[in-house]
Structures are given as structure tokens and as C-alpha cells.
Amino acid sequence: MPLGKLRKDIQMKTLIASALIASAALTGAASVASTTAANATNVIESALPGADLSALSTEQLVAVAGTLQNTDGGAAKKAGVTRALIKSLQFKAEQ
């Protein structure tokens, strides 16, 4: 096989692989985004009962719930990380 054709073949395979990876990433993001604010609120409140979530947007609630679910460690660590993230987002909203 000529070298030029081999390079084109490798480039095409790389392009296809990149497209498949991007597609998988977007599918994952879409499934996370489909979590509703109510579901996200329930997830957060189960770990932090009484947390003030009133200043957070739907996107922020979903992000906080996702962070809570993906944080490694025990309940105390998850609660601490989640509490800090909520406080940071509330501070940002006040600015």
C-alpha cells in the first residue's frame, strides 16, 4: 500500500474514532441534562436536609446533584463537597 494512501486511511480511522467518542460524550451529557430540577432537589435534600436551594437554577441543581452522586468517599465528605458547591453557587448568584 502506498504511503499516501496509508496516511489517509489512518486519518480517516482517527476521524471516525473521534466522532464516536464525541457522540458518546454528548449522549452522556444529554442523559445527565434530562434529570429534572425536582429529581436533583430530591437527591440533594436526601444528603443535606433543609439545604437552601432557592437561588440555584435548574442547571445548577442538576450539576450539584451530579457532583454529589459522583463524589467518592463517605456521607460526610459528600455532604461537605456539596455544601461548599452550593455556597459557591449562591455567592456567584449574589454578584
Side-chain angles (χ1 to χ4, degrees):
M1 179 179 281
L3 187 57
K5 184 170 170 115
L6 181 60
R7 283 186 182 154
K8 274 191 168 183
D9 188 47
I10 291 171
Q11 288 174 339
M12 184 58 78
K13 288 179 181 178
T14 302
L15 177 65
I16 291 169
S18 298
L20 289 172
I21 291 168
S23 175
L26 291 175
T27 301
S31 69
V32 170
S34 68
T35 304
T36 63
N39 290 340
T41 300
N42 289 338
V43 168
I44 297 165
E45 288 180 343
S46 70
L48 294 172
D52 180 13
L53 306 174
S54 60
L56 302 182
S57 68
T58 299
E59 292 83 8
Q60 290 171 326
L61 287 169
V62 171
V64 170
T67 299
L68 174 63
Q69 292 172 330
N70 293 317
T71 298
D72 293 333
K77 182 177 179 183
K78 287 182 177 212
V81 168
T82 304
R83 194 175 292 113
L85 180 56
I86 292 169
K87 188 177 278 190
S88 173
L89 291 170
Q90 289 169 336
F91 179 76
K92 184 178 175 184
E94 293 172 3
Q95 297 300 311

